[in-house]
Amino acid sequence: ESEIAEATILLNESPPGIQSVDSADNDNPADSDDIYHAGQQIVITIQSAGAETGLEAMVPIQSEQSGYDSGLNRASEVEDVEPVAEVFYSYLWDTLGLKNASDYIVKVTLQDSVGQKVVDESLIITIDNEPPTGGELTINNGEQFANDQRVVAEVTDTSALDDDIVEMFIEGD
């Protein structure tokens, strides 16, 4: 006589969930305000709402204002994230050559192995290539000339409101 075989099958009828979608500058993770300039490498991070691994994560990015369409981009599952109950996916977006626009919509899709999927379009990124206006550059506390190659440069944005955060960059030798 043969033994009776038993198996329990759990049918999951729920699609995967998305806990959050965030962005940050790859070189400066503290820069995560969703406002970047062309040329930055932006990490798009997706946190799934459950512990299900092996999901297909797709990240197309589009802007109607600039006419940009990245096409479909596959995000990779991030390994060794603690706690184990959280699963993350990431995609590195190269913004080189992008035009100014405030409507770069990041459309994230997570799909499980049986085709159930969830879509999130909550992340909207701004590419701002315009320099701040109204800034003042002072060298050596207001000196007109410098006798040394080393100078102290102070940049003040006179146009920003008190609570605005403005990034300024000084380039050159």
Side-chain angles (χ1 to χ4, degrees), residues 3-173:
E3 293 184 28
I4 298 176
E6 289 186 25
T8 303
I9 299 173
L10 296 174
L11 180 60
N12 182 356
E13 295 181 14
S14 301
I18 296 175
Q19 180 72 31
S20 64
V21 180
D22 299 300
S23 72
D25 181 349
N26 190 49
D27 294 328
N28 178 12
D31 181 4
S32 59
D33 61 359
D34 302 333
I35 302 172
Y36 307 102
H37 61 272
Q40 287 181 281
Q41 298 275 323
I42 308 304
V43 177
I44 309 295
T45 304
I46 304 112
Q47 180 182 358
S48 70
E52 185 176 2
T53 61
L55 300 174
E56 180 179 67
M58 301 304 287
V59 186
I61 303 168
Q62 297 177 323
S63 165
E64 190 174 309
Q65 292 172 2
S66 70
Y68 176 80
D69 186 345
S70 71
L72 285 177
N73 306 295
R74 184 177 304 275
S76 301
E77 189 169 328
V78 179
E79 300 292 328
D80 300 325
V81 175
E82 294 293 332
V84 178
E86 297 178 346
V87 180
F88 291 86
Y89 297 84
S90 73
Y91 169 70
L92 186 62
W93 181 36
D94 185 357
T95 63
L96 186 65
L98 293 184
K99 298 177 185 174
N100 284 348
S102 59
D103 72 335
Y104 285 90
I105 299 171
V106 179
K107 180 179 180 180
V108 172
T109 304
L110 288 183
Q111 182 172 319
D112 63 17
S113 60
V114 295
Q116 299 177 107
K117 60 184 166 183
V118 62
V119 177
D120 183 297
E121 295 182 34
S122 63
L123 179 59
I124 300 173
I125 292 177
T126 297
I127 298 296
D128 181 3
N129 298 316
E130 298 298 321
T133 58
E136 282 183 18
L137 174 63
T138 306
I139 297 175
N140 290 345
N141 294 320
E143 293 293 325
Q144 197 169 15
F145 301 101
N147 293 325
D148 194 336
Q149 290 182 343
R150 287 177 280 166
V151 296
V152 175
E154 180 179 334
V155 180
T156 307
D157 182 17
T158 57
S159 68
L161 300 175
D162 289 333
D163 59 348
D164 282 350
I165 297 173
V166 177
E167 290 184 56
M168 293 189 186
F169 303 92
I170 299 175
E171 293 184 25
D173 294 327

